[in-house]
Amino acid sequence: MASSTVSITPEVEGVLRASVIEQNRLTLPGTLDRRLYMATNKVLELLGGKWNRREKAHVFEDDPGFRIQEALDAGELVDPVKFYQFYPTPSDVAVRLVFLAGVADDHRVLEPSAGNGSIIKAMPYGFKVDGLKVDACEIQDSLREEIAPLCNLVGTDFLAYEPGPIYDRIVANPPFTKGQSVKHANHMLD
């Protein structure tokens, strides 16, 4: 498996330090050669920035200054996809998964690796009102904030969650590397 951290090279650090941040936009200092641009862009994307051709800048949800400085101080940053094995379930697959699981309005359901909530969003409408019968575990803080309105957050690391046999259904898209899917499936059965 590839490393879950991305090192910030001295060249990329120089580009980031010379960039201009205005509100939620970061403008690079002039034209970069392709290799340096790609390395810088990778860091900016991991920090939440997306290139916007019209703005001629990387655009973030909010001011990226603190995150960029934190990454520069550390000299590296974590690639959440590789570190957390976060691969969102496509909505059509989530709908099919919920259907195949036979989830009904009166079931108590657990989503043990909720991610961005795509499986929870595929649940029958009744789960999103009155009582929120879907419980979820999610290890990433930013994703926990995103799914909080959709479910009852009952844990962070599913493998440490010990509720006992209280669920009618467990619907999941677990992480797969290094045997994690087997560990998750065994814990779901328990």
Side-chain angles (χ1 to χ4, degrees), residues 47-59:
L47 291 169
K50 295 202 188 301
W51 173 252
N52 183 306
R53 175 176 268 149
R54 189 182 64 208
E55 298 275 339
K56 295 183 181 176
H58 282 79
V59 178

Side-chain angles (χ1 to χ4, degrees), residues 132-148:
L132 297 170
K133 298 172 193 163
V134 177
D135 290 349
C137 295
E138 176 50 48
I139 202 160
Q140 292 186 70
D141 291 337
S142 61
L143 294 175
R144 288 172 58 82
E145 291 172 16
E146 184 177 334
I147 65 170

Side-chain angles (χ1 to χ4, degrees), residues 72-162:
L72 290 173
D73 290 346
E76 64 183 16
L77 59 146
V78 172
D79 182 338
V81 170
K82 291 178 182 170
F83 186 78
Y84 292 110
Q85 290 296 293
F86 172 55
Y87 297 94
T89 306
S91 60
D92 60 324
V93 173
V95 167
R96 180 90 172 128
L97 185 60
V98 169
F99 172 77
L100 291 172
V103 175
D105 284 340
D106 61 342
H107 286 156
R108 185 156 182 203
V109 179
L110 173 67
E111 212 298 29
S113 304
N116 65 354
S118 57
I119 293 174
I120 296 168
K121 293 171 188 168
M123 297 287 173
Y125 180 76
F127 282 91
K128 297 175 185 143
V129 296
D130 296 334
L132 297 170
K133 298 172 193 163
V134 177
D135 290 349
C137 295
E138 176 50 48
I139 202 160
Q140 292 186 70
D141 291 337
S142 61
L143 294 175
R144 288 172 58 82
E145 291 172 16
E146 184 177 334
I147 65 170
L150 303 175
C151 61
N152 295 315
L153 288 167
V154 294
T156 53
D157 181 357
F158 170 64
L159 295 176
Y161 180 56
E162 297 286 343

Side-chain angles (χ1 to χ4, degrees), residues 42 46 59 66 105:
K42 182 175 185 175
L46 288 174
V59 178
F66 179 76
D105 284 340

